[in-house]
Amino acid sequence: MKSLKVSLFAFAATVLFSVSANAQEKKAAVTPAITTTPAPQKPTTPVKWKEETFDFGDIKKGTPVSHDFTFVNTTKQTVLVTDVKASCGCTATNYTKTPIKPGEKATITATYNAASPGAFSKTVTVSLNENEVPKVLTIKGKVLDDAPVTQ
């Protein structure tokens, strides 16, 4: 009888031990390994823009308006404006086409054709060098209809 009790005790201990070990294996398989990833880096820009948005406010219909966006090359290398694209045909652009040396300023001109009355918001996308993230500049305002009010 005594050996039966010892055998049952040994069997119970073996079952408990294997269940515990099995649970540990499953927990290790389910628990993901903790890894440390570096914080994402903010994209750096080779220039410092004076402003990225310009509000013309209220403008008269039929009168095109322009604004010069300027930037300074803050790097130790030459920067080149490689492309400037307006979001629609109602906005014309002009820009500095020569290389911009460190510390020099450059200009992107956006001209809006105020042909239609109403609020507007247009963008100009500026690409610098080949591998830089393009910068989106915004012009906005409201074109007033100059028709006289009749009573």
Side-chain angles (χ1 to χ4, degrees), residues 55-59 61 88 90 112-122 138-145:
D55 189 346
F56 287 107
D58 293 342
I59 58 176
K61 179 180 172 187
C88 72
C90 59
Y112 178 70
N113 180 7
S116 300
F120 68 91
S121 179
K122 305 297 177 184
T138 303
I139 56 172
K140 59 185 178 177
K142 183 177 180 184
V143 179
L144 302 177
D145 192 356

Side-chain angles (χ1 to χ4, degrees), residues 16 21 34 41 51 59 62 83 91 116 130 142 146:
L16 286 175
I34 297 173
Q41 297 285 329
E51 62 195 340
I59 58 176
D83 194 24
T91 306
S116 300
E130 288 184 16
K142 183 177 180 184
D146 59 343

Side-chain angles (χ1 to χ4, degrees), residues 79-98:
V79 171
L80 183 63
V81 178
T82 56
D83 194 24
V84 176
K85 288 187 180 179
S87 60
C88 72
C90 59
T91 306
T93 60
N94 195 8
Y95 59 94
T96 302
K97 295 174 179 65
T98 58

Side-chain angles (χ1 to χ4, degrees), residues 47-54 56 65-72 79-87 91-98 100 104-112 122-129 134-139:
V47 300
K48 175 137 178 71
W49 291 91
K50 181 179 176 186
E51 62 195 340
E52 297 175 20
T53 300
F54 183 77
F56 287 107
V65 291
S66 295
H67 179 71
D68 291 336
F69 290 96
T70 59
F71 67 84
V72 176
V79 171
L80 183 63
V81 178
T82 56
D83 194 24
V84 176
K85 288 187 180 179
S87 60
T91 306
T93 60
N94 195 8
Y95 59 94
T96 302
K97 295 174 179 65
T98 58
I100 301 101
E104 289 185 343
K105 291 183 180 181
T107 304
I108 308 295
T109 303
T111 302
Y112 178 70
K122 305 297 177 184
T123 60
V124 175
T125 303
V126 180
S127 298
L128 304 173
N129 297 345
K135 174 56 91 182
V136 178
L137 306 172
T138 303
I139 56 172

Side-chain angles (χ1 to χ4, degrees), residues 20-35:
S20 175
N22 206 5
Q24 291 290 341
E25 287 175 12
K26 286 183 181 179
K27 184 177 179 183
V30 172
T31 305
I34 297 173
T35 58

